[in-house]
Amino acid sequence: MSHMQIFYKLQQPFFDEEYLVYGDPSWDKEYGRAEWANEVIVETIKCPVYPSHQRAGERIGNLVILLPSGKTADFVWTWYSDCLITDRVLRLFEEAKFTGFTVKPVEVKLKDQSGKELIAPPVLWELVVTGKGGEADPRSGIRQIYACPHCGLKVYSSFQDGVIVNEQTWDGSDFFTITGYQFIIVTERVKNFIVEHTLINCVLIPSQNLVWKVLTRPEDLYPG
Ligand SMILES: [Zn+2]
């Protein structure tokens, strides 16, 4: 039997979770999350047939964010789960020759500078994942359950038993997503690198151990 790789979800810390592999829940409150500034524009997708299919589409232009404080960790997360990294982390990732991502510049503003000394905002980059994992292994239980022919809406079912990456469909990138889900998955090489460099304000969870936490599952809303 061939060696099965372990993959990890890279995410923000949540104060009420426990991380067995890497990450500290206390980072959630320590660093907080960045807000989108008002000038961030997102296209709206409207369905010509079903009004309920209206949703946010692509963001137009680069991110403009408000940082909660002048204290910046290696990773910064927005309320919409955008993953931002510092200039230093970008250089480290490039030196390590990680694949499957590109970066976009971020305009950073500090949320509240009243009564404080003016601090120069840090340079941050939006980590844009380009690697493709394809469809997850069928054992994950993720399948397309609905597709709207009018607006292109696609709905995928929840995962049942963690997310098992299908190494046959995975393009080999260090950073990638799987079909139907936006969250970032990384290789063991990235995980080891983050642990060795003790990069702050990120969490790594083995994808096979991911638990579906929301009460509703998409398949309850779109049966069939
Ligand atoms: Zn539709």
Side-chain angles (χ1 to χ4, degrees):
M1 207 172 142
S2 65
H3 167 70
M4 287 284 285
Q5 287 216 47
I6 298 177
F7 298 92
Y8 299 83
K9 183 187 180 203
L10 173 70
Q11 65 164 48
Q12 63 206 73
F14 291 96
F15 71 95
D16 57 351
E17 291 187 341
E18 188 188 2
Y19 303 117
L20 302 174
V21 172
Y22 185 77
D24 186 336
S26 74
W27 290 334
D28 186 2
K29 284 187 171 155
E30 190 172 355
Y31 296 103
R33 276 169 233 173
E35 289 172 29
W36 282 14
N38 286 331
E39 55 259 53
V40 177
I41 302 164
V42 178
E43 68 168 0
T44 301
I45 302 172
K46 285 185 178 166
C47 180
V49 178
Y50 305 107
S52 67
H53 290 178
Q54 181 173 322
R55 63 200 183 273
E58 296 275 304
R59 201 185 65 229
I60 298 157
N62 293 329
L63 263 184
V64 187
I65 59 148
L66 302 171
L67 266 189
S69 73
K71 195 176 170 190
T72 311
D74 299 307
F75 283 78
V76 173
W77 302 86
T78 72
W79 287 98
Y80 294 107
S81 297
D82 306 294
C83 176
L84 317 182
I85 54 175
T86 59
D87 215 33
R88 173 179 158 261
V89 172
L90 172 59
R91 280 200 306 276
L92 288 172
F93 283 0
E94 285 174 344
E95 280 164 22
K97 301 209 183 321
F98 289 141
T99 58
F101 75 97
T102 181
V103 289
K104 286 185 186 170
V106 179
E107 189 182 331
V108 182
K109 299 174 175 184
L110 297 178
K111 195 176 173 189
D112 179 23
Q113 289 214 337
S114 56
K116 291 179 202 156
E117 245 179 273
L118 214 63
I119 322 161
V123 174
L124 293 175
W125 298 94
E126 180 185 5
L127 186 89
V128 180
V129 174
T130 55
K132 302 268 183 245
E135 289 184 13
D137 186 293
R139 283 174 290 163
S140 311
I142 301 170
R143 60 189 198 284
Q144 189 181 297
I145 49 177
Y146 181 80
C148 176
H150 310 290
C151 70
L153 172 69
K154 287 185 178 137
V155 180
Y156 292 84
S157 62
S158 61
F159 42 86
Q160 304 294 331
D161 238 340
V163 171
I164 302 160
V165 173
N166 183 345
E167 293 191 33
Q168 308 303 313
T169 57
W170 167 53
D171 67 4
S173 298
D174 287 302
F175 290 80
F176 61 96
T177 53
I178 51 153
T179 304
Y181 286 85
Q182 308 267 321
F183 59 71
I184 305 171
I185 304 180
V186 300
T187 53
E188 184 122 45
R189 199 162 82 84
V190 175
K191 175 265 209 182
N192 290 338
F193 186 91
I194 288 175
V195 172
E196 278 163 27
H197 289 80
T198 28
L199 298 184
I200 303 298
N201 202 30
C202 69
V203 162
L204 292 156
I205 302 169
S207 68
Q208 65 215 28
N209 297 348
L210 288 171
V211 177
W212 187 268
K213 289 200 170 147
V214 195
L215 276 178
T216 341
R217 290 177 182 262
E219 50 271 39
D220 302 331
L221 305 170
Y222 293 86

